[in-house]
Structure formats: C-alpha cells, structure tokens
Amino acid sequence: MKSDTNPHEIIVSGIHVELTQALRAYVVDKMQRLFAHEGQIVRIRVEIEFDDRKAKTDRFTAKAHLQIHGPDINASVTSDDAYKSIDLLVDKLSRAIQSRAGIHKDKRNHPHEVELSTTLPKVG
C-alpha cells in the first residue's frame, strides 16, 4: 500500500488472516512513526500471520523488513492480538533504528587512530 503523501512504500500482507481496511490503515499509521526517526528508509514490508496451532498468547505474529540505506533491519513479535503485535513491532523497530543511529554517531565522533610507518616531512 503506497501513501500519496509519503514517497516511502509500506507493503502490508497477511498470512492466514484477512486484512481489513481498518487493519491496513492501522499498520500504515503506526509505521509512519518510523519515518520521523530515519529519513533513509526506502521500504517497509509488514507481514501479519495467524497460527491457530500455537498457544493463545502467541497466535499473532507481526514481522517487518525495513529496507534502508545500509544493512536492512528485520524484526518479529508475537502476541495474542494483531493490533498488540503491531504496536510491539513498531516499538522494537524504533529501538533498532535509534540504536543504529547511535552506533553511527559514535563512529563519527570517535574516529580511530591511524598509525603511519613513515615520518611526515616538516612544513616551513
């Protein structure tokens, strides 16, 4: 599903669950929060899966694949409700994006020392 106001793509699919318009809209609305954290996101793929063979507390699984400049981010969450799974998934992805941004910031602010085997000529 592609939003006209946002150039980013959010793809929502369901496995053994009927995706209603309300559920799709809920996923798109919640995933928009991630674009505020990171402008480098290209596409988000979200899968919502229902498995009635699992325990009641783990029947709904929400999976996401963030295609971003650099290594992609994958996350998966299970719970007893589809909407709860989506909320937990967004929180998990948000933490992963913030962690990744912190790592990149540390690399920028703390460059590694470089040892040269030769001496540099003196200027002046």
Side-chain angles (χ1 to χ4, degrees):
M1 174 179 268
K2 193 167 186 173
S3 174
D4 294 335
T5 60
N6 194 347
H8 306 289
E9 217 177 343
I10 300 173
I11 301 166
V12 183
S13 59
I15 301 171
H16 303 294
V17 67
E18 182 180 342
L19 288 178
T20 61
Q21 283 298 101
L23 187 58
R24 281 183 191 270
Y26 189 78
V27 171
V28 170
D29 184 48
K30 290 295 182 174
M31 292 296 162
Q32 292 294 334
R33 186 175 115 191
L34 298 176
F35 293 116
H37 292 299
E38 181 66 52
Q40 301 294 318
I41 297 173
V42 177
R43 180 178 301 120
I44 301 175
R45 295 180 188 272
V46 180
E47 290 182 356
I48 301 167
E49 181 179 355
F50 175 74
D51 190 357
D52 60 347
R53 294 175 291 170
K54 290 185 178 180
K56 286 188 179 186
T57 58
D58 296 334
R59 287 201 174 171
F60 287 94
T61 303
K63 300 176 188 176
H65 178 82
L66 247 78
Q67 292 180 342
I68 193 167
H69 295 295
D72 294 347
I73 298 173
N74 296 311
S76 177
V77 174
T78 60
S79 74
D80 59 341
D81 182 41
Y83 291 95
K84 184 177 178 182
S85 294
I86 294 163
D87 289 339
L88 294 171
L89 181 66
V90 170
D91 291 341
K92 191 172 191 177
L93 289 171
S94 180
R95 285 191 308 270
I97 289 171
Q98 289 173 351
S99 172
R100 174 187 161 124
I103 291 170
H104 287 299
K105 186 176 178 182
D106 286 345
K107 285 182 180 179
R108 273 195 321 265
N109 292 338
H110 303 292
H112 301 297
E113 296 179 2
V114 177
E115 293 184 23
L116 299 175
S117 60
T118 62
T119 59
L120 296 174
K122 295 188 178 192
V123 178

mmCIF file of all heavy atoms in Angstrom, residues 1-12 24-39 41 44 46 66 86 90 93-94 97:
data_model
loop_
_atom_site.group_PDB
_atom_site.id
_atom_site.type_symbol
_atom_site.label_atom_id
_atom_site.label_comp_id
_atom_site.label_asym_id
_atom_site.label_seq_id
_atom_site.Cartn_x
_atom_site.Cartn_y
_atom_site.Cartn_z
ATOM 1 N N MET A 1 0.849 -1.159 0.000
ATOM 2 C CA MET A 1 0.000 0.000 0.000
ATOM 3 C C MET A 1 0.893 1.218 0.000
ATOM 4 O O MET A 1 1.762 1.377 0.838
ATOM 5 C CB MET A 1 -0.892 -0.020 1.241
ATOM 6 C CG MET A 1 -1.698 1.224 1.398
ATOM 7 S SD MET A 1 -2.736 1.142 2.859
ATOM 8 C CE MET A 1 -4.179 0.471 2.126
ATOM 9 N N LYS A 2 0.707 2.118 -0.942
ATOM 10 C CA LYS A 2 1.547 3.287 -1.060
ATOM 11 C C LYS A 2 0.736 4.529 -0.742
ATOM 12 O O LYS A 2 -0.328 4.741 -1.284
ATOM 13 C CB LYS A 2 2.123 3.360 -2.464
ATOM 14 C CG LYS A 2 3.241 4.355 -2.589
ATOM 15 C CD LYS A 2 3.959 4.165 -3.877
ATOM 16 C CE LYS A 2 5.160 5.071 -3.907
ATOM 17 N NZ LYS A 2 5.993 4.843 -5.028
ATOM 18 N N SER A 3 1.249 5.336 0.149
ATOM 19 C CA SER A 3 0.565 6.553 0.544
ATOM 20 C C SER A 3 0.927 7.672 -0.424
ATOM 21 O O SER A 3 2.076 7.798 -0.843
ATOM 22 C CB SER A 3 0.981 6.915 1.969
ATOM 23 O OG SER A 3 0.446 8.149 2.324
ATOM 24 N N ASP A 4 -0.030 8.497 -0.786
ATOM 25 C CA ASP A 4 0.225 9.589 -1.710
ATOM 26 C C ASP A 4 0.996 10.727 -1.056
ATOM 27 O O ASP A 4 1.712 11.454 -1.713
ATOM 28 C CB ASP A 4 -1.098 10.126 -2.268
ATOM 29 C CG ASP A 4 -1.808 9.096 -3.144
ATOM 30 O OD1 ASP A 4 -1.111 8.231 -3.690
ATOM 31 O OD2 ASP A 4 -3.049 9.169 -3.266
ATOM 32 N N THR A 5 0.842 10.903 0.248
ATOM 33 C CA THR A 5 1.519 11.986 0.935
ATOM 34 C C THR A 5 2.947 11.635 1.311
ATOM 35 O O THR A 5 3.720 12.501 1.647
ATOM 36 C CB THR A 5 0.750 12.369 2.222
ATOM 37 O OG1 THR A 5 0.687 11.228 3.074
ATOM 38 C CG2 THR A 5 -0.647 12.859 1.891
ATOM 39 N N ASN A 6 3.302 10.379 1.254
ATOM 40 C CA ASN A 6 4.624 9.932 1.657
ATOM 41 C C ASN A 6 5.270 9.192 0.492
ATOM 42 O O ASN A 6 4.688 8.255 -0.038
ATOM 43 C CB ASN A 6 4.508 9.017 2.877
ATOM 44 C CG ASN A 6 5.844 8.783 3.541
ATOM 45 O OD1 ASN A 6 6.884 9.102 2.980
ATOM 46 N ND2 ASN A 6 5.819 8.234 4.716
ATOM 47 N N PRO A 7 6.487 9.570 0.090
ATOM 48 C CA PRO A 7 7.118 8.883 -1.041
ATOM 49 C C PRO A 7 7.612 7.485 -0.689
ATOM 50 O O PRO A 7 7.983 6.732 -1.569
ATOM 51 C CB PRO A 7 8.298 9.797 -1.384
ATOM 52 C CG PRO A 7 8.624 10.490 -0.106
ATOM 53 C CD PRO A 7 7.312 10.650 0.612
ATOM 54 N N HIS A 8 7.606 7.127 0.585
ATOM 55 C CA HIS A 8 8.070 5.817 1.006
ATOM 56 C C HIS A 8 6.982 4.783 0.790
ATOM 57 O O HIS A 8 5.801 5.087 0.777
ATOM 58 C CB HIS A 8 8.485 5.836 2.480
ATOM 59 C CG HIS A 8 9.486 6.909 2.796
ATOM 60 N ND1 HIS A 8 10.787 6.849 2.381
ATOM 61 C CD2 HIS A 8 9.358 8.073 3.468
ATOM 62 C CE1 HIS A 8 11.422 7.918 2.785
ATOM 63 N NE2 HIS A 8 10.581 8.686 3.448
ATOM 64 N N GLU A 9 7.403 3.551 0.689
ATOM 65 C CA GLU A 9 6.477 2.453 0.431
ATOM 66 C C GLU A 9 6.278 1.617 1.687
ATOM 67 O O GLU A 9 7.238 1.256 2.355
ATOM 68 C CB GLU A 9 7.080 1.563 -0.666
ATOM 69 C CG GLU A 9 6.084 1.021 -1.616
ATOM 70 C CD GLU A 9 6.760 0.216 -2.722
ATOM 71 O OE1 GLU A 9 7.976 0.340 -2.931
ATOM 72 O OE2 GLU A 9 6.037 -0.539 -3.348
ATOM 73 N N ILE A 10 5.028 1.316 1.981
ATOM 74 C CA ILE A 10 4.686 0.415 3.081
ATOM 75 C C ILE A 10 3.852 -0.703 2.482
ATOM 76 O O ILE A 10 2.760 -0.462 1.959
ATOM 77 C CB ILE A 10 3.901 1.129 4.195
ATOM 78 C CG1 ILE A 10 4.730 2.270 4.774
ATOM 79 C CG2 ILE A 10 3.527 0.138 5.280
ATOM 80 C CD1 ILE A 10 3.982 3.124 5.758
ATOM 81 N N ILE A 11 4.380 -1.920 2.528
ATOM 82 C CA ILE A 11 3.707 -3.080 1.960
ATOM 83 C C ILE A 11 3.200 -3.934 3.104
ATOM 84 O O ILE A 11 3.972 -4.353 3.960
ATOM 85 C CB ILE A 11 4.669 -3.883 1.060
ATOM 86 C CG1 ILE A 11 5.189 -2.989 -0.060
ATOM 87 C CG2 ILE A 11 3.981 -5.119 0.511
ATOM 88 C CD1 ILE A 11 6.370 -3.556 -0.803
ATOM 89 N N VAL A 12 1.896 -4.201 3.112
ATOM 90 C CA VAL A 12 1.275 -4.970 4.182
ATOM 91 C C VAL A 12 0.675 -6.231 3.580
ATOM 92 O O VAL A 12 -0.045 -6.167 2.584
ATOM 93 C CB VAL A 12 0.157 -4.153 4.884
ATOM 94 C CG1 VAL A 12 -0.420 -4.934 6.040
ATOM 95 C CG2 VAL A 12 0.680 -2.809 5.346
ATOM 96 N N ARG A 24 -5.191 -2.549 7.824
ATOM 97 C CA ARG A 24 -4.189 -1.945 6.929
ATOM 98 C C ARG A 24 -3.907 -0.495 7.324
ATOM 99 O O ARG A 24 -2.747 -0.078 7.385
ATOM 100 C CB ARG A 24 -4.659 -1.977 5.483
ATOM 101 C CG ARG A 24 -4.502 -3.280 4.797
ATOM 102 C CD ARG A 24 -4.944 -3.129 3.337
ATOM 103 N NE ARG A 24 -5.054 -4.408 2.703
ATOM 104 C CZ ARG A 24 -4.061 -5.011 2.056
ATOM 105 N NH1 ARG A 24 -2.893 -4.423 1.972
ATOM 106 N NH2 ARG A 24 -4.235 -6.187 1.524
ATOM 107 N N ALA A 25 -4.959 0.252 7.560
ATOM 108 C CA ALA A 25 -4.795 1.658 7.933
ATOM 109 C C ALA A 25 -4.039 1.787 9.248
ATOM 110 O O ALA A 25 -3.212 2.689 9.413
ATOM 111 C CB ALA A 25 -6.158 2.336 8.027
ATOM 112 N N TYR A 26 -4.305 0.887 10.183
ATOM 113 C CA TYR A 26 -3.623 0.894 11.478
ATOM 114 C C TYR A 26 -2.126 0.642 11.288
ATOM 115 O O TYR A 26 -1.294 1.333 11.884
ATOM 116 C CB TYR A 26 -4.238 -0.160 12.394
ATOM 117 C CG TYR A 26 -3.760 -0.090 13.816
ATOM 118 C CD1 TYR A 26 -4.256 0.866 14.687
ATOM 119 C CD2 TYR A 26 -2.810 -0.981 14.298
ATOM 120 C CE1 TYR A 26 -3.824 0.942 16.000
ATOM 121 C CE2 TYR A 26 -2.366 -0.921 15.606
ATOM 122 C CZ TYR A 26 -2.884 0.045 16.447
ATOM 123 O OH TYR A 26 -2.435 0.118 17.738
ATOM 124 N N VAL A 27 -1.787 -0.333 10.455
ATOM 125 C CA VAL A 27 -0.379 -0.642 10.201
ATOM 126 C C VAL A 27 0.322 0.555 9.552
ATOM 127 O O VAL A 27 1.407 0.963 9.978
ATOM 128 C CB VAL A 27 -0.240 -1.903 9.315
ATOM 129 C CG1 VAL A 27 1.198 -2.088 8.862
ATOM 130 C CG2 VAL A 27 -0.726 -3.128 10.043
ATOM 131 N N VAL A 28 -0.296 1.133 8.540
ATOM 132 C CA VAL A 28 0.316 2.266 7.837
ATOM 133 C C VAL A 28 0.481 3.450 8.786
ATOM 134 O O VAL A 28 1.531 4.096 8.808
ATOM 135 C CB VAL A 28 -0.530 2.659 6.604
ATOM 136 C CG1 VAL A 28 -0.055 3.971 6.013
ATOM 137 C CG2 VAL A 28 -0.474 1.557 5.557
ATOM 138 N N ASP A 29 -0.528 3.709 9.598
ATOM 139 C CA ASP A 29 -0.460 4.819 10.548
ATOM 140 C C ASP A 29 0.672 4.625 11.551
ATOM 141 O O ASP A 29 1.424 5.554 11.844
ATOM 142 C CB ASP A 29 -1.801 4.955 11.273
ATOM 143 C CG ASP A 29 -1.828 6.140 12.209
ATOM 144 O OD1 ASP A 29 -1.425 7.241 11.772
ATOM 145 O OD2 ASP A 29 -2.248 5.966 13.376
ATOM 146 N N LYS A 30 0.807 3.426 12.084
ATOM 147 C CA LYS A 30 1.859 3.153 13.064
ATOM 148 C C LYS A 30 3.254 3.178 12.425
ATOM 149 O O LYS A 30 4.217 3.637 13.032
ATOM 150 C CB LYS A 30 1.630 1.800 13.733
ATOM 151 C CG LYS A 30 0.439 1.783 14.657
ATOM 152 C CD LYS A 30 0.667 2.704 15.827
ATOM 153 C CE LYS A 30 -0.489 2.672 16.786
ATOM 154 N NZ LYS A 30 -0.239 3.451 17.989
ATOM 155 N N MET A 31 3.383 2.676 11.203
ATOM 156 C CA MET A 31 4.686 2.628 10.546
ATOM 157 C C MET A 31 5.163 4.022 10.126
ATOM 158 O O MET A 31 6.367 4.240 9.973
ATOM 159 C CB MET A 31 4.642 1.702 9.328
ATOM 160 C CG MET A 31 4.473 0.251 9.683
ATOM 161 S SD MET A 31 5.868 -0.381 10.628
ATOM 162 C CE MET A 31 5.163 -1.836 11.337
ATOM 163 N N GLN A 32 4.233 4.969 9.957
ATOM 164 C CA GLN A 32 4.623 6.338 9.611
ATOM 165 C C GLN A 32 5.521 6.940 10.696
ATOM 166 O O GLN A 32 6.339 7.806 10.424
ATOM 167 C CB GLN A 32 3.380 7.218 9.425
ATOM 168 C CG GLN A 32 2.544 6.870 8.220
ATOM 169 C CD GLN A 32 3.253 7.137 6.917
ATOM 170 O OE1 GLN A 32 4.140 7.975 6.831
ATOM 171 N NE2 GLN A 32 2.878 6.395 5.893
ATOM 172 N N ARG A 33 5.361 6.468 11.927
ATOM 173 C CA ARG A 33 6.172 6.944 13.046
ATOM 174 C C ARG A 33 7.656 6.677 12.814
ATOM 175 O O ARG A 33 8.511 7.463 13.240
ATOM 176 C CB ARG A 33 5.692 6.254 14.317
ATOM 177 C CG ARG A 33 6.339 6.747 15.573
ATOM 178 C CD ARG A 33 5.723 6.088 16.773
ATOM 179 N NE ARG A 33 6.745 5.279 17.410
ATOM 180 C CZ ARG A 33 6.512 4.412 18.359
ATOM 181 N NH1 ARG A 33 5.305 4.194 18.779
ATOM 182 N NH2 ARG A 33 7.491 3.731 18.897
ATOM 183 N N LEU A 34 7.965 5.597 12.102
ATOM 184 C CA LEU A 34 9.366 5.237 11.877
ATOM 185 C C LEU A 34 10.055 6.196 10.917
ATOM 186 O O LEU A 34 11.256 6.421 11.010
ATOM 187 C CB LEU A 34 9.454 3.808 11.345
ATOM 188 C CG LEU A 34 8.917 2.721 12.271
ATOM 189 C CD1 LEU A 34 8.978 1.376 11.580
ATOM 190 C CD2 LEU A 34 9.679 2.686 13.578
ATOM 191 N N PHE A 35 9.291 6.776 9.986
ATOM 192 C CA PHE A 35 9.895 7.695 9.029
ATOM 193 C C PHE A 35 10.366 8.981 9.699
ATOM 194 O O PHE A 35 11.242 9.660 9.182
ATOM 195 C CB PHE A 35 8.914 8.013 7.895
ATOM 196 C CG PHE A 35 8.614 6.824 7.026
ATOM 197 C CD1 PHE A 35 7.339 6.308 6.965
ATOM 198 C CD2 PHE A 35 9.612 6.209 6.288
ATOM 199 C CE1 PHE A 35 7.054 5.206 6.172
ATOM 200 C CE2 PHE A 35 9.344 5.115 5.494
ATOM 201 C CZ PHE A 35 8.067 4.610 5.442
ATOM 202 N N ALA A 36 9.795 9.324 10.848
ATOM 203 C CA ALA A 36 10.246 10.505 11.577
ATOM 204 C C ALA A 36 11.638 10.279 12.165
ATOM 205 O O ALA A 36 12.424 11.215 12.288
ATOM 206 C CB ALA A 36 9.256 10.841 12.691
ATOM 207 N N HIS A 37 11.945 9.023 12.529
ATOM 208 C CA HIS A 37 13.255 8.708 13.097
ATOM 209 C C HIS A 37 14.336 8.665 12.032
ATOM 210 O O HIS A 37 15.448 9.116 12.248
ATOM 211 C CB HIS A 37 13.241 7.340 13.796
ATOM 212 C CG HIS A 37 12.423 7.292 15.026
ATOM 213 N ND1 HIS A 37 12.664 8.076 16.122
ATOM 214 C CD2 HIS A 37 11.344 6.548 15.347
ATOM 215 C CE1 HIS A 37 11.785 7.827 17.054
ATOM 216 N NE2 HIS A 37 10.962 6.900 16.619
ATOM 217 N N GLU A 38 14.021 8.093 10.904
ATOM 218 C CA GLU A 38 15.042 7.827 9.898
ATOM 219 C C GLU A 38 14.502 8.161 8.514
ATOM 220 O O GLU A 38 13.569 7.529 8.037
ATOM 221 C CB GLU A 38 15.460 6.353 9.960
ATOM 222 C CG GLU A 38 16.528 5.948 8.981
ATOM 223 C CD GLU A 38 17.861 6.611 9.255
ATOM 224 O OE1 GLU A 38 18.346 6.544 10.380
ATOM 225 O OE2 GLU A 38 18.411 7.195 8.309
ATOM 226 N N GLY A 39 15.093 9.149 7.889
ATOM 227 C CA GLY A 39 14.676 9.545 6.541
ATOM 228 C C GLY A 39 15.245 8.659 5.455
ATOM 229 O O GLY A 39 14.876 8.789 4.296
ATOM 230 N N ILE A 41 14.853 5.439 5.138
ATOM 231 C CA ILE A 41 14.069 4.228 4.910
ATOM 232 C C ILE A 41 13.497 4.260 3.505
ATOM 233 O O ILE A 41 12.878 5.239 3.087
ATOM 234 C CB ILE A 41 12.932 4.107 5.947
ATOM 235 C CG1 ILE A 41 13.503 3.966 7.353
ATOM 236 C CG2 ILE A 41 12.027 2.924 5.615
ATOM 237 C CD1 ILE A 41 12.461 4.001 8.447
ATOM 238 N N ILE A 44 9.126 -0.498 3.721
ATOM 239 C CA ILE A 44 8.837 -1.335 4.874
ATOM 240 C C ILE A 44 7.866 -2.417 4.437
ATOM 241 O O ILE A 44 6.811 -2.123 3.894
ATOM 242 C CB ILE A 44 8.202 -0.527 6.037
ATOM 243 C CG1 ILE A 44 9.130 0.593 6.489
ATOM 244 C CG2 ILE A 44 7.884 -1.446 7.203
ATOM 245 C CD1 ILE A 44 8.511 1.498 7.535
ATOM 246 N N VAL A 46 5.570 -5.464 5.863
ATOM 247 C CA VAL A 46 4.987 -5.954 7.108
ATOM 248 C C VAL A 46 4.132 -7.179 6.793
ATOM 249 O O VAL A 46 3.316 -7.147 5.871
ATOM 250 C CB VAL A 46 4.117 -4.874 7.789
ATOM 251 C CG1 VAL A 46 3.514 -5.407 9.070
ATOM 252 C CG2 VAL A 46 4.929 -3.623 8.068
ATOM 253 N N LEU A 66 12.720 -3.753 7.130
ATOM 254 C CA LEU A 66 12.989 -2.364 6.773
ATOM 255 C C LEU A 66 14.120 -2.335 5.763
ATOM 256 O O LEU A 66 15.245 -2.721 6.087
ATOM 257 C CB LEU A 66 13.431 -1.593 8.014
ATOM 258 C CG LEU A 66 12.536 -0.531 8.556
ATOM 259 C CD1 LEU A 66 11.416 -1.157 9.333
ATOM 260 C CD2 LEU A 66 13.318 0.399 9.415
ATOM 261 N N ILE A 86 1.358 -5.379 16.313
ATOM 262 C CA ILE A 86 1.816 -4.252 15.501
ATOM 263 C C ILE A 86 2.444 -3.185 16.388
ATOM 264 O O ILE A 86 3.506 -2.643 16.072
ATOM 265 C CB ILE A 86 0.649 -3.686 14.669
ATOM 266 C CG1 ILE A 86 0.199 -4.718 13.642
ATOM 267 C CG2 ILE A 86 1.044 -2.386 13.984
ATOM 268 C CD1 ILE A 86 -1.155 -4.453 13.048
ATOM 269 N N VAL A 90 6.383 -1.984 16.133
ATOM 270 C CA VAL A 90 6.817 -0.608 15.890
ATOM 271 C C VAL A 90 7.790 -0.159 16.979
ATOM 272 O O VAL A 90 8.801 0.485 16.690
ATOM 273 C CB VAL A 90 5.603 0.337 15.782
ATOM 274 C CG1 VAL A 90 6.044 1.784 15.766
ATOM 275 C CG2 VAL A 90 4.798 0.019 14.545
ATOM 276 N N LEU A 93 11.156 -1.869 16.283
ATOM 277 C CA LEU A 93 11.842 -1.261 15.145
ATOM 278 C C LEU A 93 12.374 0.122 15.494
ATOM 279 O O LEU A 93 13.474 0.493 15.070
ATOM 280 C CB LEU A 93 10.899 -1.178 13.943
ATOM 281 C CG LEU A 93 10.545 -2.492 13.276
ATOM 282 C CD1 LEU A 93 9.436 -2.284 12.259
ATOM 283 C CD2 LEU A 93 11.764 -3.107 12.618
ATOM 284 N N SER A 94 11.620 0.863 16.262
ATOM 285 C CA SER A 94 12.049 2.193 16.679
ATOM 286 C C SER A 94 13.332 2.111 17.510
ATOM 287 O O SER A 94 14.266 2.892 17.305
ATOM 288 C CB SER A 94 10.931 2.861 17.472
ATOM 289 O OG SER A 94 11.319 4.136 17.892
ATOM 290 N N ILE A 97 16.264 1.282 15.190
ATOM 291 C CA ILE A 97 16.709 2.441 14.404
ATOM 292 C C ILE A 97 17.508 3.394 15.280
ATOM 293 O O ILE A 97 18.553 3.902 14.865
ATOM 294 C CB ILE A 97 15.500 3.150 13.769
ATOM 295 C CG1 ILE A 97 14.911 2.288 12.653
ATOM 296 C CG2 ILE A 97 15.893 4.509 13.213
ATOM 297 C CD1 ILE A 97 13.595 2.802 12.100
#
